[in-house]
Protein backbone atom coordinates (compact mmCIF):
# COMPACT_ATOMS: atom_id res chain seq x y z
CA UNK A 1 0.00 0.00 0.00
CA UNK A 2 1.47 3.34 -1.07
CA UNK A 3 -0.49 6.50 -0.18
CA UNK A 4 0.00 9.94 -1.73
CA UNK A 5 -0.09 8.97 -5.40
CA UNK A 6 -0.43 11.89 -7.83
CA UNK A 7 -1.59 9.74 -10.73
CA UNK A 8 -4.00 8.22 -11.30
CA UNK A 9 -5.92 10.32 -8.79
CA UNK A 10 -9.18 12.21 -8.63
CA UNK A 11 -8.07 14.65 -5.96
CA UNK A 12 -4.26 14.46 -6.25
CA UNK A 13 -3.76 11.93 -3.47
CA UNK A 14 -4.85 8.38 -4.28
CA UNK A 15 -3.50 5.23 -2.63
CA UNK A 16 -1.93 2.42 -4.64
CA UNK A 17 -2.72 -1.15 -3.51
CA UNK A 18 -0.59 -3.96 -4.91
CA UNK A 19 -0.66 -7.77 -4.88
CA UNK A 20 1.84 -10.20 -6.36
CA UNK A 21 3.46 -13.54 -5.76
CA UNK A 22 3.18 -17.02 -7.20
CA UNK A 23 0.43 -18.75 -5.19
CA UNK A 24 -2.80 -18.85 -7.26
CA UNK A 25 -5.84 -17.06 -5.81
CA UNK A 26 -3.86 -15.29 -3.09
CA UNK A 27 -5.30 -12.15 -1.58
CA UNK A 28 -4.01 -8.96 -0.01
CA UNK A 29 -6.05 -7.31 2.75
CA UNK A 30 -5.64 -3.62 3.58
CA UNK A 31 -7.53 -2.30 6.59
CA UNK A 32 -7.76 0.61 8.99
CA UNK A 33 -9.27 0.88 12.44
CA UNK A 34 -11.45 3.98 12.58
CA UNK A 35 -12.68 4.21 16.17
CA UNK A 36 -13.81 2.40 19.28
CA UNK A 37 -17.47 3.26 18.60
CA UNK A 38 -19.71 0.46 19.83
CA UNK A 39 -22.96 2.38 19.43
CA UNK A 40 -23.00 3.07 15.67
CA UNK A 41 -25.89 1.40 13.85
CA UNK A 42 -25.48 2.73 10.29
CA UNK A 43 -22.45 2.35 8.00
CA UNK A 44 -21.77 3.84 4.55
CA UNK A 45 -18.55 2.88 2.72
CA UNK A 46 -17.86 5.19 -0.24
CA UNK A 47 -14.83 4.71 -2.53
CA UNK A 48 -13.56 5.30 -6.04
CA UNK A 49 -11.16 2.70 -7.47
CA UNK A 50 -9.14 2.34 -10.66
CA UNK A 51 -7.33 -0.61 -12.27
CA UNK A 52 -4.99 -0.71 -15.23
CA UNK A 53 -5.23 -4.51 -15.59
CA UNK A 54 -8.56 -5.72 -14.14
CA UNK A 55 -8.14 -9.06 -15.98
CA UNK A 56 -5.40 -10.02 -13.47
CA UNK A 57 -7.84 -10.07 -10.55
CA UNK A 58 -10.41 -12.71 -9.64
CA UNK A 59 -12.33 -10.11 -7.64
CA UNK A 60 -12.32 -7.47 -4.93
CA UNK A 61 -13.79 -7.19 -1.45
CA UNK A 62 -14.92 -4.15 0.52
CA UNK A 63 -15.90 -4.17 4.17
CA UNK A 64 -16.94 -2.15 7.19
CA UNK A 65 -16.95 -4.06 10.46
CA UNK A 66 -17.82 -3.49 14.09
CA UNK A 67 -16.91 -5.39 17.23
CA UNK A 68 -19.48 -4.71 19.89
CA UNK A 69 -19.41 -6.55 23.21
CA UNK A 70 -19.29 -10.24 22.26
CA UNK A 71 -20.46 -9.81 18.66
CA UNK A 72 -18.61 -9.18 15.38
CA UNK A 73 -20.75 -7.48 12.74
CA UNK A 74 -19.21 -7.64 9.25
CA UNK A 75 -20.57 -5.72 6.28
CA UNK A 76 -18.42 -7.58 3.73
CA UNK A 77 -19.19 -7.20 0.03
CA UNK A 78 -17.43 -9.21 -2.67
CA UNK A 79 -17.41 -8.78 -6.42
CA UNK A 80 -16.12 -12.19 -7.53
CA UNK A 81 -15.81 -11.93 -11.29
CA UNK A 82 -16.19 -15.68 -11.95
CA UNK A 83 -19.34 -15.86 -9.77
CA UNK A 84 -20.95 -13.06 -11.85
CA UNK A 85 -22.84 -11.59 -8.85
CA UNK A 86 -22.07 -9.34 -5.93
CA UNK A 87 -22.05 -11.35 -2.72
CA UNK A 88 -22.56 -10.54 0.95
CA UNK A 89 -20.90 -12.25 3.89
CA UNK A 90 -22.97 -14.29 6.35
CA UNK A 91 -20.64 -13.96 9.35
CA UNK A 92 -22.61 -16.30 11.64
CA UNK A 93 -22.82 -18.93 8.88
CA UNK A 94 -19.27 -18.36 7.62
CA UNK A 95 -20.20 -18.20 3.93
CA UNK A 96 -20.76 -15.91 0.95
CA UNK A 97 -24.34 -15.39 -0.21
CA UNK A 98 -25.12 -14.22 -3.75
CA UNK A 99 -27.23 -11.13 -4.37
CA UNK A 100 -29.16 -10.51 -7.60
CA UNK A 101 -26.78 -7.65 -8.54
CA UNK A 102 -24.43 -8.53 -11.43
CA UNK A 103 -20.72 -8.29 -10.68
CA UNK A 104 -19.03 -6.81 -13.72
CA UNK A 105 -15.27 -6.68 -14.08
CA UNK A 106 -14.30 -2.97 -14.11
CA UNK A 107 -13.02 -1.32 -17.26
CA UNK A 108 -9.29 -0.68 -17.43
CA UNK A 109 -8.14 2.93 -16.95
CA UNK A 110 -11.55 4.09 -15.72
CA UNK A 111 -12.58 5.18 -12.23
CA UNK A 112 -15.37 3.12 -10.64
CA UNK A 113 -17.54 4.55 -7.84
CA UNK A 114 -18.91 2.25 -5.16
CA UNK A 115 -21.22 3.07 -2.22
CA UNK A 116 -22.14 0.29 0.23
CA UNK A 117 -24.77 0.79 2.91
CA UNK A 118 -25.41 -1.42 5.93
CA UNK A 119 -26.94 -1.22 9.36
CA UNK A 120 -26.94 -3.14 12.58
CA UNK A 121 -30.62 -3.86 13.13
CA UNK A 122 -32.20 -5.94 15.92
CA UNK A 123 -28.82 -7.51 16.72
CA UNK A 124 -28.11 -8.51 13.13
CA UNK A 125 -26.13 -7.28 10.14
CA UNK A 126 -28.43 -5.86 7.47
CA UNK A 127 -26.98 -5.26 4.00
CA UNK A 128 -29.15 -2.34 2.82
CA UNK A 129 -27.89 -1.33 -0.63
CA UNK A 130 -25.08 -1.34 -3.14
CA UNK A 131 -24.54 1.54 -5.59
CA UNK A 132 -22.17 0.99 -8.53
CA UNK A 133 -21.39 4.02 -10.69
CA UNK A 134 -24.61 5.76 -9.66
CA UNK A 135 -26.94 2.75 -10.06
CA UNK A 136 -28.45 1.80 -6.69
CA UNK A 137 -29.58 -1.74 -5.86
CA UNK A 138 -31.46 -2.57 -2.67
CA UNK A 139 -30.20 -5.80 -1.11
CA UNK A 140 -31.94 -6.16 2.28
CA UNK A 141 -30.16 -9.36 3.33
CA UNK A 142 -29.80 -9.90 7.07
CA UNK A 143 -27.42 -12.22 8.94
CA UNK A 144 -26.44 -12.81 12.52
CA UNK A 145 -23.07 -11.69 13.87
CA UNK A 146 -20.24 -14.00 14.81
CA UNK A 147 -19.79 -14.50 18.54
CA UNK A 148 -16.35 -13.45 19.80
CA UNK A 149 -14.71 -13.54 23.22
CA UNK A 150 -13.62 -9.90 23.32
CA UNK A 151 -15.71 -7.12 24.84
CA UNK A 152 -13.68 -4.38 23.13
CA UNK A 153 -15.60 -2.15 20.70
CA UNK A 154 -14.17 -0.86 17.41
CA UNK A 155 -15.04 0.02 13.82
CA UNK A 156 -12.79 -0.87 10.86
CA UNK A 157 -12.96 -0.82 7.10
CA UNK A 158 -10.96 -2.69 4.50
CA UNK A 159 -10.23 -3.29 0.84
CA UNK A 160 -9.04 -6.68 -0.38
CA UNK A 161 -7.51 -7.59 -3.73
CA UNK A 162 -8.10 -11.18 -4.87
CA UNK A 163 -5.54 -12.68 -7.21
CA UNK A 164 -6.31 -14.99 -10.10
CA UNK A 165 -5.41 -18.48 -11.26
CA UNK A 166 -2.02 -17.32 -12.56
CA UNK A 167 -1.48 -14.87 -9.68
CA UNK A 168 -0.28 -12.11 -11.96
CA UNK A 169 0.98 -9.00 -10.15
CA UNK A 170 -1.46 -6.09 -10.31
CA UNK A 171 -2.36 -2.79 -8.67
CA UNK A 172 -5.57 -0.97 -7.87
CA UNK A 173 -5.75 2.71 -6.92
CA UNK A 174 -8.30 3.94 -4.40
CA UNK A 175 -9.38 7.54 -3.93
CA UNK A 176 -11.85 9.51 -1.81
CA UNK A 177 -12.23 6.71 0.74
CA UNK A 178 -14.97 7.59 3.17
CA UNK A 179 -16.57 5.55 5.93
CA UNK A 180 -19.54 7.25 7.58
CA UNK A 181 -21.07 5.69 10.66
CA UNK A 182 -23.50 6.86 13.29
Amino acid sequence: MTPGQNSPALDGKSTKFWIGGTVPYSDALFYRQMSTNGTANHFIYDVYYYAKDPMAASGMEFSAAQHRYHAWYRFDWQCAYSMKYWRTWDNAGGKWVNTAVPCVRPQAYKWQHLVLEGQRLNGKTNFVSLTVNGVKHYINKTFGPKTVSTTTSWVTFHLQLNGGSTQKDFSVWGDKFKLTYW
Side-chain angles (χ1 to χ4, degrees), residues 60-173:
M60 293 180 65
E61 296 176 23
F62 307 86
S63 175
Q66 180 185 47
H67 264 217
R68 184 175 187 267
Y69 308 112
H70 291 287
W72 185 12
Y73 299 90
R74 288 177 51 185
F75 301 93
D76 291 7
W77 302 80
Q78 180 188 65
C79 185
Y81 306 134
S82 63
M83 299 294 176
K84 307 287 187 212
Y85 291 97
W86 276 90
R87 305 189 311 169
T88 56
W89 181 250
D90 174 356
N91 205 24
K95 62 184 177 184
W96 288 106
V97 177
N98 285 348
T99 70
V101 181
C103 164
V104 178
R105 190 179 300 271
Q107 292 179 1
Y109 302 98
K110 183 176 180 191
W111 285 100
Q112 308 295 311
H113 184 206
L114 183 62
V115 179
L116 308 165
E117 298 179 56
Q119 70 181 123
R120 188 170 40 80
L121 182 66
N122 299 320
K124 296 190 177 200
T125 303
N126 181 35
F127 292 83
V128 177
S129 66
L130 160 73
T131 304
V132 181
N133 296 324
V135 179
K136 189 168 192 169
H137 305 272
Y138 287 95
I139 305 302
N140 294 318
K141 288 189 179 283
T142 303
F143 306 105
K146 182 176 183 178
T147 302
V148 293
S149 60
T150 183
T151 58
T152 305
S153 294
W154 47 255
V155 172
T156 62
F157 77 107
H158 83 240
L159 166 78
Q160 179 172 307
L161 305 181
N162 296 335
S165 60
T166 60
Q167 197 55 39
K168 182 179 176 186
D169 296 359
F170 70 94
S171 297
V172 171
W173 287 259

Side-chain angles (χ1 to χ4, degrees), residues 1-6 12-17 173-174:
M1 182 175 106
T2 309
Q5 300 295 297
N6 296 327
K13 55 183 179 180
S14 70
T15 299
K16 181 180 180 181
F17 301 92
W173 287 259

